[in-house]
């Protein structure tokens, strides 16, 4: 970036000076840190990374020109520590700080602190962050600017009685939101007066944990709305543009899971009105940099301001794909005082783009987040129309301390149908072994007829639950034959490896299939599955570091990817994925159990936020026992059966490891017997 200092007159008559940005600190981690570094490198700007104990060997640290340790794994002691981040910025001689998204990206105090230290904050003015970050304030500003808003309560009286009375006045269902919220945190839906206080308290707890602020607002909840947002960009010279809209309607836990641009079924007139309303919103707060104005849209395509995110969004790549822009490059240039690279009439919409967020989570268990190592990871090949935004590699760990997103798969096509076809093709090539992911769920979702038709809403998942969560099917006979052949060929490879390294290639110990002399490995086998006899033949070939099983089952050829780990054979093909487990001998099997006298166990490593029961309490199935905070989310642990709490094993504030027993729960009869003895 040019080091020459120039000045330009602005629309307000002020003089804006371009500033030199030759080194930028990325105050973030994971895929967004890597994303910023790529654009910085392209522009000749050096990048500085910060990292916690958990990220010592992470991808963003390896990519950076410099990297500095800033503390323990918990984000409050590392990535959320303003003092530590600013200390590194000064120590490294960084000219600017890019906050990414999350963490400090929408923190008014941090933006101000950067300014006081003479460091460029790559984002909007702190006043815009403050005004848009407090939802009640933003609603008033938007209303004054002529941006449509939805009715609700944004007042100072935060008593339970006042909030509940306002909910009754507005009419159920209502949305309870943290005024400083974002990312689905501190947000709950109350559908009736009877569950309002429970939802309010839950939202407050999560808001305190996430934002250190539990002030709430109440809004009318629009049933089955669409979530449509507009990418906006402003500069210091009074210019502001929109880069069209994104549809982010399909969500789970109020968090986006698949996004697309442009929004399906939107007329050019509505598209223009959305964009112009978003620009009015940006200009109302003198916005500078990348921002997103989020709207709720009803079935008649009426739209209402929801909130403005004063940062780069997770889903920004789909806007880049349809406009041919690099928004991170725009951020760096605008932060240095340059004018927007394009004005509104220069921004053209071309084609269609999808982004699928690939998470370490279990969709079949209410999308429970997961953590653990990526034992196998292979992806589709990136190209001009396929992007893989990630911050992990094979062998890396998905940490329990941070968001469980593994990657964003971004594709582009000439139209929506072409882009959707490419998305599904690439999802089948995204293969992960080692922890649960949502890839199969994304395939079910993107292949649903209603999704293909563009009929989406925020209620899409519950409305089509049966289709999206089909009953698991047993592996087919052909799949079992492929798995058996893969195991045989793996044993053959192990044997060859042993004999090639052995001084006695004829040693019987060279056979991995038992003590048999003159063993012959034949790749033509006959297997009986049930009453069906199958003739199977094939071989394993290595391509691009992956193993592919070239095989024929009863004359039908196939070429699945083969991964064998522990006692499970994983097969990946264009038809989907399958797993076949090999029974473990009893002498090798570990001792199982559901823990603590049949009591509840921790679904993952986390902190016990609230204990709701005590020894002697009677509970029924589904009663809340504890509240855990893990993966930045609040999880309610419920009773797996009816009975009496014999013992509570964790106190509030303590850390519980995954699968740790949380309570001892016995049936009332057992409790009575124990008392009488």
């Amino acid at each position: 970036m040019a080091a020459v200092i120039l000045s330009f007159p602005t629309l307000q008559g002020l003089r804006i000076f371009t500033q030199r940005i030759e080194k930028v600190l990325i105050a973030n981690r994971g895929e967004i840190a890597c994303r910023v570094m790529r654009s910085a490198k392209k522009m000749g700007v050096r990048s500085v990374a910060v990292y916690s104990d958990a990220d010592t060997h992470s991808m963003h640290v390896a990519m950076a020109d410099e990297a500095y340790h800033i503390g323990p794994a918990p984000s409050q002691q590392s990535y959320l520590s303003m003092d530590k981040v600013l200390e590194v910025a000064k120590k490294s001689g960084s000219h600017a700080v890019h906050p990414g998204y999350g963490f400090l990206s929408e923190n008014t105090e941090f933006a101000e602190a950067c300014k006081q230290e003479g460091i460029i904050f790559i984002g909007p003015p702190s006043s815009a962050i403050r005004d848009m970050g407090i939802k009640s304030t933003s609603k008033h500003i938007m209303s004054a600017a002529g941006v449509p808003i939805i009715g609700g309560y944004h007042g100072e009286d935060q008593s339970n009685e006042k909030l509940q009375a306002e909910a009754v006045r507005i009419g159920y269902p209502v949305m309870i939101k943290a005024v400083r919220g974002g990312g689905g945190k501190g947000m709950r839906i109350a559908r009736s007066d009877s569950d309002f206080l429970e939802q309010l308290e839950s939202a407050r707890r999560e808001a305190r944990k996430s934002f250190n602020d539990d002030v709430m607002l109440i809004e009318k909840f629009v049933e089955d709305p669409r979530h449509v947002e507009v990418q906006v960009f402003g500069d210091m010279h009074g210019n502001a543009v929109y880069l069209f809209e994104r549809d982010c309607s399909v969500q789970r836990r109020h968090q986006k899971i698949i996004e697309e641009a442009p929004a399906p079924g939107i007329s050019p007139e509505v598209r223009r009105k959305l964009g112009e309303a978003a620009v009015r919103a940006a200009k109302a707060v003198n916005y500078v940099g990348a921002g997103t104005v989020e709207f709720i849209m009803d079935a008649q395509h009426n739209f209402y301001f929801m909130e403005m995110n004063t940062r780069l969004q997770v889903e920004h790549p789909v806007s880049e794909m349809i406009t041919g822009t690099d928004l991170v490059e725009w951020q760096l240039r605008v932060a240095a005082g340059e004018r927007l690279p394009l004005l509104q009439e220069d921004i053209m919409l071309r084609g269609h783009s999808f982004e699928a967020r690939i998470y370490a989570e279990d969709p079949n268990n209410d999308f429970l987040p997961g953590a653990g190592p990526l034992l196998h990871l292979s992806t589709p090949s990136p190209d001009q129309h396929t992007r893989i935004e990630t911050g992990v590699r094979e062998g890396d760990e998905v940490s329990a301390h941070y968001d469980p997103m593994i990657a964003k798969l971004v594709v582009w096509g000439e139209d929506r149908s072409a882009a959707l076809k490419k998305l599904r093709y690439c999802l089948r090539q995204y293969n992960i072994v080692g922890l649960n992911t949502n890839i199969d769920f994304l395939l079910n979702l993107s292949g649903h007829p209603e999704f293909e038709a563009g009929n989406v809403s925020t209620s899409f998942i519950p409305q089509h639950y049966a289709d999206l969560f089909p009953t698991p099917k047993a592996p087919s006979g052909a799949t079992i034959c492929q798995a058996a052949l893969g195991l045989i060929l793996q044993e053959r490879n192990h044997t060859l490896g042993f004999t090639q390294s052995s001084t006695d290639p004829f040693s019987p110990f060279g056979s991995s299939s038992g003590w048999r002399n003159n063993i012959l490995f034949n790749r033509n086998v006959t297997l009986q599955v049930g009453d069906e006899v199958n003739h199977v033949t094939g071989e394993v070939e290595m391509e691009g570091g992956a193993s592919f099983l070239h095989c024929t089952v009863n004359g039908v050829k196939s070429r699945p990817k083969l991964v064998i780990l522990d006692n499970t054979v994983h097969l990946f093909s264009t038809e989907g994925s399958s797993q076949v487990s090999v029974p473990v001998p009893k002498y090798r099997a570990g001792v199982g159990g559901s823990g603590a006298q049949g009591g509840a166990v921790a679904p993952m490593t986390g902190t016990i936020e609230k204990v709701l029961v005590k020894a002697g309490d009677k509970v029924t199935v589904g009663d809340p026992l504890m509240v855990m905070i893990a993966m930045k989310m609040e999880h309610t642990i419920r009773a797996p059966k009816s009975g009496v709490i014999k013992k509570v094993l964790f106190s509030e504030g303590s850390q519980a490891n995954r699968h740790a027993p949380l309570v001892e729960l016995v049936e009332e009869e057992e409790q009575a017997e124990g008392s009488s003895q």
Side-chain angles (χ1 to χ4, degrees):
M1 194 172 287
V4 179
I5 298 179
L6 303 172
S7 66
F8 302 96
T10 71
L11 297 178
Q12 290 78 18
L14 301 174
R15 297 182 71 80
I16 302 298
F17 294 92
T18 58
Q19 303 177 71
R20 182 173 56 199
I21 298 180
E22 294 182 352
K23 181 185 280 191
V24 60
L25 181 148
I26 296 96
N28 218 297
R29 64 178 299 281
E31 67 87 12
I32 187 58
C34 297
R35 164 72 187 91
V36 174
M37 288 175 193
R38 283 199 302 275
S39 286
K41 184 176 182 179
K42 180 181 72 174
M43 299 171 67
V45 176
R46 288 171 289 165
S47 59
V48 178
V50 291
Y51 65 93
S52 69
D53 289 345
D55 285 334
T56 301
H57 304 292
S58 69
M59 185 172 166
H60 82 276
V61 172
M63 281 184 66
D65 295 302
E66 302 173 30
Y68 293 79
H69 177 257
I70 55 168
S75 54
Q76 290 88 347
Q77 301 172 51
S78 50
Y79 297 107
L80 284 171
S81 173
M82 290 188 286
D83 293 341
K84 290 179 179 178
V85 172
L86 284 170
E87 181 184 347
V88 171
K90 291 185 287 185
K91 184 177 180 180
S92 63
S94 297
H95 301 117
V97 171
H98 194 302
Y101 55 74
F103 293 136
L104 297 170
S105 63
E106 295 179 281
N107 187 300
T108 307
E109 293 77 14
F110 181 65
E112 280 291 338
C114 288
K115 184 178 179 180
Q116 291 171 8
E117 295 291 347
I119 297 168
I120 298 169
F121 176 77
I122 300 178
S126 58
S127 58
I129 299 175
R130 181 185 63 248
D131 290 345
M132 292 294 98
I134 301 175
K135 290 182 172 59
S136 54
T137 303
S138 68
K139 300 280 184 181
H140 295 306
I141 294 173
M142 293 303 102
S143 180
V147 179
I149 65 169
I150 200 163
Y153 173 73
H154 317 114
E156 294 182 4
D157 187 344
Q158 289 287 303
S159 67
N160 289 359
E161 295 77 17
K162 177 62 175 176
L163 293 177
Q164 191 163 21
E166 288 296 327
V168 171
R169 178 186 65 80
I170 294 165
Y172 290 101
V174 296
M175 176 71 81
I176 305 169
K177 284 185 185 179
V179 297
R180 292 183 181 272
K185 310 294 193 307
M187 184 184 297
R188 296 292 185 273
I189 298 169
R191 298 193 172 276
S192 67
D193 209 40
S194 61
D195 73 342
F196 179 83
L197 291 178
E198 180 185 349
Q199 298 300 331
L200 174 64
E201 181 56 31
S202 180
R204 279 175 168 162
R205 282 197 303 269
E206 197 167 88
R208 282 193 296 268
K209 194 73 175 178
S210 299
F211 316 112
N212 199 31
D213 190 317
D214 64 359
V215 177
M216 295 286 146
L217 62 83
I218 312 295
E219 288 181 341
K220 177 67 178 175
F221 179 64
V222 179
E223 293 281 6
D224 300 330
R226 289 175 66 175
H227 178 128
V228 178
E229 61 187 34
V230 179
Q231 177 70 59
V232 293
F233 224 106
D235 65 19
M236 300 178 192
H237 307 271
N239 302 305
V241 298
Y242 64 89
L243 291 94
F244 306 107
E245 81 284 351
R246 302 183 287 254
D247 193 300
C248 311
S249 298
V250 180
Q251 304 178 11
R252 47 88 178 110
R253 295 198 309 261
H254 304 299
Q255 288 184 310
K256 303 160 190 173
I257 191 170
I258 192 165
E259 303 98 346
E260 60 182 300
I266 300 293
S267 70
E269 182 184 4
V270 173
R271 177 164 293 125
R272 177 182 57 79
K273 288 181 177 178
L274 272 167
E276 291 175 352
V279 168
R280 286 200 303 274
K283 288 190 172 184
V285 291
N286 299 314
Y287 200 83
V288 174
T292 296
V293 183
E294 299 191 347
F295 297 97
I296 282 179
M297 179 177 283
D298 65 20
Q300 289 73 44
H301 291 181
N302 299 306
F303 56 88
Y304 308 94
F305 174 82
M306 186 163 55
E307 63 183 1
M308 184 174 188
N309 290 309
T310 54
R311 53 174 166 79
L312 196 67
Q313 289 276 86
V314 176
E315 59 272 18
H316 76 273
V318 293
S319 297
E320 294 178 321
M321 296 293 263
I322 64 167
T323 57
T325 55
D326 181 338
L327 295 183
V328 173
E329 180 179 343
W330 280 34
Q331 284 187 300
L332 290 167
R333 293 193 179 281
V334 165
E338 296 184 26
R339 294 178 179 273
L340 287 175
L342 298 173
L343 295 179
Q344 195 64 61
E345 58 268 24
D346 304 317
I347 302 171
M348 307 300 293
L349 192 162
R350 294 183 294 272
H352 203 96
S353 181
F354 282 96
E355 173 183 283
R357 302 190 191 189
I358 296 173
Y359 280 99
E361 64 184 13
D362 185 358
N364 294 313
N365 189 10
D366 196 26
F367 296 95
L368 186 72
L374 294 161
L375 301 178
H376 172 82
L377 171 63
S378 54
T379 72
S381 300
D383 57 34
Q384 183 182 358
H385 299 147
T386 306
R387 285 169 58 174
I388 296 166
E389 301 287 350
T390 188
V392 293
R393 304 148 296 190
E394 183 174 277
D396 284 351
E397 187 103 2
V398 176
S399 173
H401 295 282
Y402 312 114
D403 189 87
M405 188 166 70
I406 296 170
K408 303 181 309 196
L409 173 62
V410 187
V411 300
W412 181 91
E414 291 286 349
D415 54 32
R416 189 174 189 271
S417 177
L420 188 55
K421 187 184 299 182
K422 187 168 185 64
L423 176 69
R424 290 175 54 75
Y425 180 79
C426 291
L427 279 170
R428 290 190 182 99
Q429 293 180 299
Y430 219 112
N431 309 144
I432 295 172
V433 176
L435 68 180
N436 290 323
T437 75
N438 65 337
I439 292 176
D440 285 344
F441 173 78
L442 289 169
L443 279 165
N444 291 339
L445 171 61
S446 58
H448 194 282
E450 289 297 309
F451 187 87
E452 290 179 345
N455 298 327
V456 294
S457 75
T458 57
S459 302
F460 190 91
I461 292 176
Q463 283 178 353
H464 304 288
Y465 191 90
D467 297 330
L468 299 175
F469 297 89
T471 303
K473 296 180 180 178
S476 66
T479 297
I480 293 172
C481 290
Q482 291 170 348
L485 179 63
L487 284 168
I488 291 171
L489 292 172
Q490 184 196 48
E491 287 192 349
R492 177 180 179 274
N493 287 336
H494 285 172
T495 298
L496 287 175
F498 180 90
T499 55
Q500 288 170 1
S501 63
S502 173
T503 55
D504 181 8
F506 301 104
S507 166
F509 294 104
S511 169
S512 62
S513 59
W515 184 286
R516 286 183 288 160
N517 289 317
N518 303 316
I519 185 168
L520 177 65
F521 284 88
N522 195 327
R523 291 174 292 187
N524 296 277
V525 296
T526 299
L527 299 170
Q528 183 168 334
V529 180
D531 296 329
E532 184 180 350
V533 177
N534 302 272
H535 183 68
V536 188
T537 181
E539 60 188 5
V540 174
E541 289 188 3
M542 296 294 295
E543 296 178 26
S547 299
F548 288 87
L549 182 64
H550 292 253
C551 65
T552 303
V553 179
N554 299 328
V556 179
K557 292 182 178 293
S558 60
R559 183 180 168 271
K561 185 182 294 180
L562 175 70
V563 180
I564 303 176
L565 285 171
D566 296 327
N567 301 296
T568 304
V569 180
H570 301 264
L571 297 164
F572 300 96
S573 72
T574 55
E575 301 303 314
S577 64
S578 299
Q579 295 83 43
V580 178
S581 297
V582 180
V584 180
K586 286 185 178 180
Y587 69 88
R588 289 180 54 197
V591 178
S594 58
Q597 305 291 318
V601 298
M604 67 189 75
T605 299
T607 302
I608 304 301
E609 180 73 7
K610 196 166 186 179
V611 176
L612 305 173
V613 293
K614 62 183 183 300
D617 285 355
K618 294 181 180 180
V619 295
T620 57
V621 175
D623 282 354
L625 305 176
M626 293 183 180
V627 176
M628 283 186 71
I629 297 290
M631 309 293 280
K632 302 199 298 183
M633 294 292 292
E634 183 177 285
H635 306 273
T636 301
I637 311 301
R638 299 183 182 275
K641 64 179 182 180
S642 298
V644 178
I645 302 295
K646 184 177 180 182
K647 188 176 183 181
V648 177
L649 302 173
F650 285 87
S651 59
E652 292 181 2
S654 57
Q655 186 92 352
N657 291 326
R658 185 181 182 217
H659 293 164
L662 300 176
V663 299
E664 287 186 21
L665 176 61
V666 296
E667 295 181 7
E668 288 193 63
E669 292 81 1
E670 297 177 40
Q671 177 76 2
E673 289 175 11
S675 301
S676 62
Q677 288 176 358

